Each structure stands twice: as C-alpha cells, then as structure tokens.
Amino acid sequence: MKTRITELLGIKYPILQGGMAWVAESTLAAAVSNAGGAGIIAGGAAPIDYLRDQIRRAKSLTDKPFGVNVMLMSPNAEDLAQLVIDEKVAFVTTGAGNPGKYMEGWKAAGIKVIPVVPSVALAKRMERSGADAVIAEGTESGGHIGENTTMCLVPQVVDAVEIPVLAAGGIADGRGIAASFMLGAEGVQVGTRFLASEECQIHKNYKDLVIGAKDTDSIVTGRFTGHPCRNVKSKLAKKLQTFEKDGGTPEEFEKISAGSLRKAVVDGDLEEGSFMCGAIAGMINDIKPCKDIIEEMFAQAEKLLKIN
Ligand code: TUI
C-alpha cells in the first residue's frame, strides 16, 4: 500500500502509532517501526533528559524512522521542540493545540511535521503553515479529543487540503484501514490497538481493561473543563462523571485527575488511575506483537480494497 505517507516517511505500511502520553516509549515505538510502521515516542509532560534518553534508546533499537509527539499544552513543549531538532528526529506529530510557532524551525531542520487536527479549519491552517500531512482525529480516539467523528471529519479534511491526510479514531483492524482509505485517507494513526501489544510497557491491569472492555465501556469525562478525555469507564472516570453532574468546578476536577494517567500506566491503580483508551477497545480481545498486529491489519485491508 504505497501512498504519499509511505513515501513521505520512508515506511512500508502507512500506519503511525499514536503518541500516547506515558504509554508511547522507546520499546513500543521501535517495535512499530521495526514492523514497517512509524513508531512514536510521546513527549507528554516528561522531563527533557528522560525524553533525550528515550530517543537515543529508540535509535539503538531500530534503524527505521520513528517520530516524537509534542503535546502542545505541556510545559515542556518549547524544550521538546528544540530537542527533536538537536536529535534530528525524522518526524514530529503534535496534539492539543496549534504548533504554528514551531513549524519554521522544524522545517528548517528537515523534520517532517504532521499535526493532529480535530477540525477542517485547523487542517487548512496547518497546511498554510507548511505541514507535510495532517492526522484527522475523530472523537472515537482515546485521551484528549475533539467533537467530530472520524467518519465525518476525515472526508471533509480530505476535501479541504492538498496534503495527505491520515485518519485516526476507532481504527483497530483492516476494516478500519479500508474504510479510512475509502474516505480519502492515505494512512492511519492507531493508538488503542497498540495498548494491547506485547511490546507496550503499560501495567497488566491497563491491558486487561482494554481487552476486557465491551462496546459501551469507554466514556468521555471533563467536557466542561474544555479538555474532554475518553477513558475506560473505571472507578475514577465514574467518580469524575458524578463530580461533573453534581456541579463541581473545573479546578477541582483537574485536581482529582492530576497524576491519574501515571497511576494507570505505571501502577495499574484501578481506584485512582485514568485508563485512556479509544471507543474501539470493545473490538480488541488479545495481546499480540506489534508485527502481527500490523501485518494482519494490512492483509485484511488489502483484501477488502482488492489490492494485489
Ligand atoms: O492530544 C491528543 N490526545 C491526548 S493529549 C493527552 S494529555 C492530556 N491530558 C488531559 C488533558 C489534556 C491533555 C491525552 N490525550 N490528541 C490530539 C488532539 N489534538 N486531540 C485534539 C487536539 C487538538 C485540539 C485543539 C488539536 C488542536 C487544537 O487546536 C486548538 C487551537 O489552538 O486552535
């Protein structure tokens, strides 16, 4: 499946691994890249020294291209924007904001830039700023989300820009890839399916929640804070939902949620952890190596799209 995305990044399969904060580290990223996709290390809000180490570790684990996700709401964004230049990272994805002010520096350093966009307006702005591609991310995704669905957003972004578009949100098998291609996407970004991979380093409780989830087990919390977030319907998520219904303040909400993603990923804390995951978790029932996940997804997609 050669597309402008495989050409742009020099990869075999047009699939990016989502830049999931706390989750997307060097072992996972290298496994995805070694399997022919594009792995990503998430900057999240991690210290720069740790991220430098992660980038160097990934370089030692793969000779294939990998990227870094810059979460623009993070206090480390400015420093990470410089680190990816210093470390000559192949490409950057961005989330949770407009990366406009970093674009010139990244382009001058030869770094490919692929912002995540939740709207047509932002996709157009990113194209004007020099983005190489955009990821149109639907509200089915895990973590911090926009409001539009993958099915509605992707074709509208495809119609609005000339640069290639990747689809994200609700894609976990070959049917999702084939559907994305029918909507005009030239690649996909997949997060939740890789949570249930052998190489993903998250706590076993997190993986168990993902593979045990059914279709109705993800909920969105925090809409009233302006930062809606899709999670497994865990104890904390239900508590936050009640808190929101009962008229709690956004400030208190942020206080209760603080550190909850780390508690999920590192400690597997079923009481206080925030287990971010996409709405497609209900379809994911097993843990496999990244290579098998990617090869099976593309074998199914190619059959459906009648490629070869
Ligand atoms: O960024 C994500 N997903 C994330 S970030 C994250 S860490 C976090 N935790 C709690 C609250 C907030 C963040 C967990 N998951 N996905 C990409 C994404 N980007 N989704 C939505 C957006 C987005 C939103 C607004 C991108 C641009 C944007 O632009 C606003 C503007 O400045 O025009």
Side-chain angles (χ1 to χ4, degrees):
M1 286 180 94
K2 281 204 186 336
T3 69
R4 285 187 291 169
I5 295 299
T6 56
E7 293 291 309
L8 176 72
L9 299 177
I11 54 178
K12 183 174 176 193
Y13 298 110
I15 181 169
L16 269 58
Q17 163 235 318
M20 301 166 280
W22 280 100
V23 172
E25 47 66 68
S26 53
T27 313
L28 178 62
V32 170
S33 291
N34 282 331
I40 290 180
I41 294 168
I48 291 301
D49 288 344
Y50 166 80
L51 292 170
R52 185 182 300 105
D53 191 59
Q54 284 294 305
I55 292 169
R56 291 183 182 174
R57 228 177 89 74
K59 284 178 187 164
S60 76
L61 294 171
T62 184
D63 56 3
K64 303 278 194 307
F66 65 88
V68 168
N69 175 262
V70 180
M71 211 277 270
L72 294 159
M73 274 171 33
S74 166
N76 77 3
E78 189 97 36
D79 292 342
L80 182 53
Q82 184 57 44
L83 178 67
V84 296
I85 294 173
D86 298 342
E87 289 295 321
K88 300 183 172 50
V89 167
F91 71 97
V92 162
T93 62
T94 64
N98 182 344
K101 68 171 174 174
Y102 302 120
M103 209 69 113
E104 212 178 294
W106 287 337
K107 301 299 298 174
I111 297 175
K112 308 282 191 291
V113 185
I114 313 182
V116 172
V117 295
S119 68
V120 166
L122 194 61
K124 285 163 111 168
R125 216 179 310 151
M126 291 301 94
E127 179 173 55
R128 280 198 301 275
S129 316
D132 295 280
V134 286
I135 301 165
E137 187 186 272
T139 195
E140 296 91 325
S141 300
H144 177 48
I145 47 172
E147 291 290 352
N148 213 339
T149 62
T150 304
M151 180 80 104
C152 295
L153 181 64
V154 171
Q156 293 186 72
V157 171
V158 166
D159 285 348
V161 298
E162 298 287 329
I163 53 177
V165 176
L166 296 104
I171 303 162
D173 69 3
R175 291 173 298 181
I177 297 175
S180 301
F181 276 59
M182 297 309 290
L183 297 175
E186 295 181 54
V188 292
Q189 176 175 276
V190 168
T192 304
R193 176 63 266 201
F194 289 120
L195 289 174
S197 68
E198 275 178 11
E199 296 89 345
C200 185
Q201 303 293 304
I202 57 176
H203 194 281
K204 182 178 181 302
N205 288 353
Y206 201 153
K207 290 190 187 182
D208 286 346
L209 281 175
V210 172
I211 60 177
K214 59 180 187 305
D215 58 341
T216 51
D217 281 345
S218 88
I219 54 167
V220 179
T221 54
R223 277 212 166 85
F224 79 131
T225 67
H227 306 127
C229 206
R230 187 180 295 283
N231 317 265
V232 177
K233 206 187 278 174
S234 64
K235 239 178 170 154
L236 175 70
K238 283 189 224 162
K239 181 177 163 184
L240 289 170
Q241 202 178 32
T242 308
F243 179 82
E244 190 171 343
K245 271 195 196 125
D246 292 349
T249 65
E251 292 73 28
E252 274 178 279
F253 181 98
E254 302 285 6
K255 229 175 172 172
I256 301 172
S257 330
S260 58
L261 182 56
R262 190 198 66 78
K263 285 180 187 165
V265 171
V266 180
D267 308 330
D269 185 339
L270 297 168
E271 300 289 321
E272 295 183 1
S274 162
F275 297 85
M276 294 183 185
C277 90
I280 200 69
M283 206 177 72
I284 299 167
N285 302 312
D286 55 3
I287 296 169
K288 288 193 280 215
C290 292
K291 186 172 188 302
D292 293 2
I293 291 173
I294 293 174
E295 287 177 0
E296 286 170 22
M297 284 179 83
F298 279 92
Q300 187 185 23
E302 285 171 10
K303 209 165 146 197
L304 290 167
L305 294 167
K306 301 200 172 17
I307 295 171
N308 298 329

